[in-house]
Amino acid sequence: MFQKILIANRGEIALRVLRACKELGIQTVVVHSTADSDAMHVRLADESVCIGPPPSRESYLNIHQIVAACEITGADAVHPGYGFLSENAKFADILAAHNITFIGPSGDHIRIMGDKIEAKRTAKRLGIPVVPGSDGAINDDKEAKRVAAEIGYPVIIKASAGGGGRGMKVARTEADLEIALQTAKSEAGAAFGDDAVYIEKFLEKPRHIEVQVFGDGAGRGVHFGERDCSLQRRHQKVWEEANSPALNAEERSRIGGICATAIADLGYSGAGTIEFLYENGEFYFIEMNTRLQVEHPVTEAITGIDLVHEQIRVASGGGLSVRQEDIKFNGHAIECRINAEDPRTFMPSPGTITHFHTPGGLGIRVDSGVYSGYRIPPYYDSLIGKLIVHGRNRVECMMRLRRALDEFVVDGIKTTLPLFRDLVGNPDIANGDYDIHWLEKYLAKGE
Ligand code: ADP
């Protein structure tokens, strides 16, 4: 097992990882920018190293500084959290070259999944169902028209290097195709420095369902069930649940089994998430994230397994603590992402939190790095906390969520809490009857 882990992140996830390290008896080092000197994870860590000024590229994305912090403190492993360097293959390679363990998959696996065309090709080869579309990059209008006619309109053009929902264009008819192809290409080139694009069938009303997988790096793979993350705004997840209200136990074990086998065949090591669009009973692979996800706590709630412990065990060569048959799904869990944003316009609302009171009681978990008197720096994303609620079934979970939201107090800044208080009372949400467009439509109506 590791002696000392350096946590290369900030906010709630840095604290989340720190807690897991403490429970495993591992020393902790955190790195932070000058804007985060008074952050909770800095206060609670055994050691902390200031690695630069507020802008991320000079601190949390500064590989040299982070490697230097490892050398100075003698850390033998790095947990990257999510975002920042968590899916940076070069970072994984550089750590390996310094004999520091990256708590995550190999640089090569990160690289494959970071290139969407390559990821889709790999998924298909491993027997994962994919969205019908072009086999690789599309080079000209003629090829685009041929592929689109084959799969049928509407189609979506996506950037191979894409991320965060950028560089995607929908073409409803052949007349739209040329212009969609051109704009997708130029947007991709400008945003990612790589203008490779591909085409796939556009699904009209899918749900977003993702499978949590783990590989032990020695040819074994397991799945921890799925999460339904269909409630999104601008491709950003807002509310996540496990299990998905749309799946039954057979569907869960079928898609889970396919993913676990794929992970085993790939020789993958650590946590991963295989994301699908789900429509009319069919799964369509869209991408794989090679890291811990923001929404992992809903999976922990229904399985009772600490996924960060598992990540650390696997990275240290200790293997997974569970076999597939040990993983049971109990009850239902929902996570609400609480952002420091205006709940109507979603404009960021940094500032000082004058009062912070979190709900408690059975089945309630709050992951947050903020506290009363904390000043939210304006440089980073607006997530200030996650409320995760567990119940024996979805109805109990929703009732508990409603009362937890009533107890939650954040004063001094605007937050998205009022949005969740509205959602929890909505009949479609109560019925689990929503797709990836539901939230945008609901917000557009301004109810
Ligand atoms: P990114 O990495 O940019 O987030 P994804 O491939 O994960 O890109 O897709 C982001 C979102 O775009 C999906 O959650 C979905 O809302 C939409 N999307 C992607 N592919 C399709 C498709 N084939 N049909 C319909 N919507 C899609």
Side-chain angles (χ1 to χ4, degrees):
M1 193 41 95
F2 303 120
Q3 299 293 313
K4 198 185 264 191
I5 291 178
L6 182 140
I7 301 164
N9 214 300
R10 63 179 302 281
E12 68 87 20
I13 194 61
L15 190 56
R16 163 74 191 87
V17 174
L18 188 126
R19 286 175 172 150
C21 293
K22 293 204 173 211
E23 287 173 13
L24 294 170
I26 299 169
Q27 292 286 304
T28 52
V29 182
V30 297
V31 290
H32 65 92
S33 72
T34 50
D36 278 339
S37 310
D38 53 359
M40 194 63 114
H41 70 282
V42 177
R43 294 184 179 193
L44 292 178
D46 297 306
E47 291 170 75
S48 63
V49 182
C50 181
I51 51 165
S56 307
R57 60 176 192 287
E58 294 172 51
S59 50
Y60 296 103
L61 292 172
N62 188 333
I63 294 178
H64 299 294
Q65 289 285 54
I66 294 170
V67 174
C70 289
E71 301 284 359
I72 292 164
T73 57
D76 42 14
V78 171
H79 195 302
Y82 53 68
F84 294 130
L85 295 169
S86 61
E87 289 178 298
N88 186 312
K90 196 173 112 196
F91 182 52
D93 290 345
I94 290 173
L95 288 179
H98 284 79
N99 279 325
I100 300 163
T101 305
F102 175 74
I103 302 178
S106 67
D108 286 345
H109 283 153
I110 299 175
R111 221 167 263 120
I112 291 171
M113 295 303 168
D115 174 319
K116 296 190 154 220
I117 291 176
E118 196 52 39
K120 197 171 171 185
R121 204 175 275 142
T122 306
K124 201 170 167 182
R125 177 171 61 74
L126 293 167
I128 295 174
V130 300
V131 192
S134 56
D135 279 332
I138 287 284
N139 297 307
D140 56 55
D141 292 346
K142 221 173 109 203
E143 196 184 352
K145 282 181 187 163
R146 182 182 54 74
V147 174
E150 238 168 66
I151 57 177
Y153 288 90
V155 297
I156 183 167
I157 299 162
K158 296 169 69 171
S160 187
R166 286 177 304 166
M168 289 188 277
K169 289 280 167 271
V170 177
R172 298 222 156 250
T173 63
E174 194 177 288
D176 307 334
L177 193 62
E178 253 174 67
I179 189 88
L181 188 67
Q182 270 167 25
T183 30
K185 258 185 166 322
S186 60
E187 273 186 31
F192 312 111
D194 172 1
D195 73 351
V197 296
Y198 61 106
I199 295 192
E200 57 188 33
K201 176 98 189 137
F202 180 70
L203 302 168
E204 296 281 0
K205 287 182 167 181
R207 298 181 79 109
H208 173 116
I209 298 182
E210 58 186 34
V211 178
Q212 175 70 58
V213 289
F214 251 92
D216 69 354
R220 210 157 64 90
V222 296
H223 75 88
F224 285 77
E226 84 286 3
R227 294 181 286 260
D228 196 317
C229 314
S230 302
L231 289 174
Q232 301 183 359
R233 181 182 168 272
R234 300 205 174 150
H235 303 301
Q236 298 295 316
K237 297 163 188 169
V238 170
W239 157 306
E240 301 102 344
E241 41 187 315
N243 305 307
S244 167
L247 293 196
N248 60 34
E250 286 91 82
E251 286 175 297
R252 171 166 313 111
S253 84
R254 184 179 70 85
I255 192 66
I258 291 172
C259 292
T261 306
I263 282 307
D265 292 348
L266 194 59
Y268 188 83
S269 176
T273 297
I274 305 186
E275 296 194 336
F276 295 95
L277 295 177
Y278 174 83
E279 193 172 67
N280 298 327
E282 299 289 340
F283 286 91
Y284 302 97
F285 170 87
I286 44 172
E287 67 170 336
M288 175 167 176
N289 292 318
T290 52
R291 54 171 166 84
L292 190 71
Q293 305 263 111
V294 176
E295 58 274 22
H296 76 279
V298 291
T299 302
E300 296 185 323
I302 64 161
T303 60
I305 297 164
D306 187 310
L307 297 181
V308 179
H309 283 192
E310 295 302 317
Q311 285 189 296
I312 295 171
R313 276 182 65 111
V314 167
S316 72
L320 285 160
S321 76
V322 284
R323 293 161 305 172
Q324 189 66 56
E325 56 269 35
D326 303 323
I327 302 168
K328 303 273 188 276
F329 305 106
N330 294 311
H332 196 89
I334 295 174
E335 173 180 280
C336 299
R337 294 193 191 195
I338 300 161
N339 289 344
E341 288 172 358
D342 182 301
R344 263 194 295 277
T345 61
F346 297 94
M347 289 295 287
S349 174
T352 300
I353 297 177
T354 52
H355 189 66
F356 189 70
H357 174 82
T358 57
L362 181 66
I364 305 287
R365 166 175 174 182
V366 178
D367 276 20
S368 173
V370 309
Y371 49 84
S372 294
Y374 177 76
R375 196 174 48 79
I376 302 168
Y379 311 103
Y380 311 107
D381 79 28
S382 57
L383 183 78
I384 56 161
K386 307 183 306 202
L387 169 63
I388 305 104
V389 176
H390 182 233
R392 284 176 301 174
N393 51 53
R394 192 165 184 273
V395 173
E396 187 178 276
C397 185
M398 291 281 282
M399 293 301 284
R400 185 164 286 156
L401 175 58
R402 183 192 295 250
R403 92 71 194 147
L405 287 165
D406 283 347
E407 283 177 36
F408 216 132
V409 180
V410 185
D411 288 339
I413 56 156
K414 289 179 183 160
T415 75
T416 47
L417 277 167
L419 169 67
F420 295 112
R421 293 189 184 116
D422 288 344
L423 291 179
V424 80
N426 183 281
D428 287 347
I429 303 295
N431 295 329
D433 186 12
Y434 53 80
D435 60 37
I436 59 169
H437 306 298
W438 189 93
L439 185 60
E440 299 251 1
K441 283 192 209 144
Y442 172 83
L443 293 169
K445 274 189 284 180
E447 279 178 29

